[in-house]
Every structure is written in C-alpha cells, then in structure tokens.
C-alpha cells in the first residue's frame, strides 16, 4: 500500500524565518514522484514543488526546497524567508504506479 | 475507519455519455471536496460542500459538470455529456475540524483513492 504521513497538523513561524514541514511516505514502487501542494483559504491547490525519486539532487523553487531522503522515505519541505502569503495548508503527496496519495496536511501560520 | 470511499475506481466511457462519480465521506466529517487532477493543470478544486451545502463551485469547468450532496454520507459528481478533455483522476476529500490547544479550529482533510476517468 502507498501511504503518506504528515505528523505535524500545524506549524507556525515568524515572518522572514525558515520553517521545515515533515513528510514521510511508504511505497513499493521504485519509480515515483513526490509533491508538495499549497492550499490557501481559497481552497485551490497550488503545486509548490516536485521531486522525481530517481533524482538524487534536492528540488528547489525559489524560497522552497526539499530534503529528499530516499532510503528513509522522507520528503520535507523547507520554506526560507517566510512571507505572510505562505500561510496555508500544505499537502505532501506521492505519485507512483498511476496512483496519487495525499497526506492529511499541515497548517502553516506566519507570525508577523 | 474505512476512509473516504470513491466509486467507481476506473471508468471508461464514450464521448457524449453521462458519467456519475460517487463519494462517501468519512462519517462525522462536515466538509466535502471534489478535485480533478490532470498532467496539464495539476490538482484543481472543482467544488466543496459544508454541511451538505455547496459553498464554492467556481472551479466547476462548465455547465456539463454538476455536483450534489443529498445527505451527509453521499455526494455525486456528474458530467453530462462527457468529452475527451474530461479525462482525469477525480478525487473526493472530506474534512473534520478540531479545536487546538490555542482554541483555534484546525481542519484535517482526508483524500479518497480517486476515480480514473477516460473518455474516448
């Protein structure tokens, strides 16, 4: 079975500081993709970053980067220089064997 | 707990046919979401309900799409008539709210396994 676990229901960070959101997953697939989605109060899902499992290099998108530990099946999201607009729910997901699985989300609050 | 249940898991149909996707949320959850996932547009919110009432359907692509939630334990997403561009994976999610130690409501969203739709 394919599972994704986000063990932090909520996190908060001071504006301009750095925060890391945790995600662990389990899969029997050797070829898969990992994603972080952001869901603001509008409820729309915004793709933040993706990582191909076969790539050792950690993906980076501006202030967003991941720490991908394949052996540990860990895929954490680091947000640097946090901004008020980063406040949202963040979902980690795993796509493998044509199946997409989501974690239950982490709510991130930015403290001005 | 069985989690969010979606049916069918796979659907193949011909253009012009009516398609009905079903979702059973987790018991006790009062919010339900329908999402569509495609390679081109990623994950899109189509509509969500709160206490069986549609709150925001601005993501519904066009009049061919309709969603209902007749009771707290069942929702449908209907496409009539279906078109090839509707081919996607459709996810249903339900959520519950809990009170944190800081007296704030925290919503936890649980996704179903999805329905893979192919319109030929």
């Amino acid at each position: 079975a394919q599972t994704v676990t986000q063990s932090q229901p909520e996190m908060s960070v001071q504006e301009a500081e750095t925060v890391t959101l945790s995600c662990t997953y389990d899969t029997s697939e050797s070829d898969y993709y990992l994603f972080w989605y952001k869901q603001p109060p509008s409820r729309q899902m915004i793709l933040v970053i993706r990582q191909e499992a076969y790539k050792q290099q950690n993906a980076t998108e501006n202030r967003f980067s991941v720490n991908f530990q394949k052996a540990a099946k860990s895929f954490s999201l680091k947000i640097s220089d946090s901004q008020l607009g980063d406040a949202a729910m963040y979902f980690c997901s795993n796509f493998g064997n044509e199946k997409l699985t989501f974690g239950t989300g982490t709510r991130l609050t930015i403290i001005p | 707990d069985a989690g969010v249940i979606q049916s069918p898991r796979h659907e193949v149909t011909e253009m012009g046919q009516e398609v009905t996707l079903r979702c059973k949320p987790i018991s006790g959850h009062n919010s339900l979401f329908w999402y569509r996932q495609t390679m081109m547009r990623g994950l899109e919110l189509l509509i969500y309900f709160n206490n069986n009432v549609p709150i925001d359907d601005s993501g519904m692509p066009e009049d061919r799409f309709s969603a209902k939630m007749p009771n707290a334990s069942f929702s449908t997403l209907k496409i009539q008539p279906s078109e090839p561009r509707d081919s996607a994976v459709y996810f249903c999610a339900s959520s519950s709210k809990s009170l944190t130690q800081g007296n704030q409501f925290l919503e936890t969203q649980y996704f179903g396994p999805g329905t893979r739709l192919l319109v030929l």
Side-chain angles (χ1 to χ4, degrees):
Chain A
Q2 192 168 283
T3 61
V4 176
T5 303
Q6 293 179 250
S7 58
Q8 306 155 314
E10 56 179 346
M11 293 278 288
S12 60
V13 63
Q14 203 80 32
E15 190 177 3
E17 296 295 310
T18 296
V19 65
T20 299
L21 308 185
S22 308
C23 173
T24 59
Y25 62 94
D26 195 12
T27 180
S28 58
E29 301 299 321
S30 58
D31 186 20
Y32 55 91
Y33 297 81
L34 298 163
F35 305 88
W36 277 98
Y37 279 96
K38 171 185 176 181
Q39 186 179 51
S42 68
R43 304 293 193 157
Q44 273 297 346
M45 285 285 203
I46 302 165
L47 179 62
V48 175
I49 199 165
R50 60 178 278 169
Q51 172 85 40
E52 291 87 343
Y54 64 87
K55 289 186 177 179
Q56 292 184 341
Q57 187 172 8
N58 289 325
T60 300
E61 285 288 339
N62 301 314
R63 297 182 296 107
F64 298 87
S65 61
V66 299
N67 183 6
F68 175 45
Q69 302 288 328
K70 190 171 184 178
K73 294 183 177 176
S74 170
F75 182 62
S76 60
L77 174 69
K78 186 171 86 170
I79 306 174
S80 304
D81 185 25
S82 298
Q83 300 175 0
L84 295 178
D86 296 334
M89 284 290 289
Y90 286 82
F91 290 93
C92 177
S93 67
N94 177 10
F95 180 75
N97 195 22
E98 299 186 341
K99 184 179 176 184
L100 185 63
T101 306
F102 290 88
T104 51
T106 297
R107 186 174 76 178
L108 178 65
T109 301
I110 310 297
I111 303 167
Chain B
D1 192 343
V4 175
I5 299 173
Q6 289 187 248
S7 65
R9 295 294 306 276
H10 298 88
E11 177 81 34
V12 180
T13 189
E14 291 185 343
M15 183 173 65
Q17 296 297 307
E18 177 181 294
V19 174
T20 299
L21 310 182
R22 298 172 177 80
C23 175
K24 177 178 167 52
I26 294 174
S27 177
H29 286 190
N30 57 6
S31 292
L32 183 140
F33 306 80
W34 282 102
Y35 296 93
R36 176 173 68 177
Q37 197 256 345
T38 63
M39 292 302 291
M40 291 294 293
R41 291 186 298 272
L43 195 63
E44 304 170 278
L45 175 69
L46 300 177
I47 186 172
Y48 79 93
F49 296 84
N50 193 37
N51 293 324
N52 313 339
V53 176
I55 301 301
D56 184 358
D57 64 354
S58 59
M60 296 286 263
E62 48 200 270
D63 293 344
R64 298 184 298 107
F65 285 68
S66 62
K68 293 181 180 180
M69 192 164 186
N71 56 62
S73 59
F74 184 65
S75 176
T76 60
L77 178 68
K78 188 176 292 187
I79 308 172
Q80 166 63 16
S82 59
E83 296 181 3
R85 60 189 169 129
D86 301 330
S87 299
V89 181
Y90 291 81
F91 287 94
C92 175
S94 69
S95 71
S96 63
K97 287 185 178 177
S98 57
L99 204 57
T100 68
Q101 287 186 339
N103 279 329
Q104 290 190 354
F105 279 109
L106 180 67
E107 184 174 52
T108 303
Q109 208 169 129
Y110 297 81
F111 283 78
T115 294
R116 180 173 293 278
L117 173 65
L118 178 61
V119 182
L120 302 173

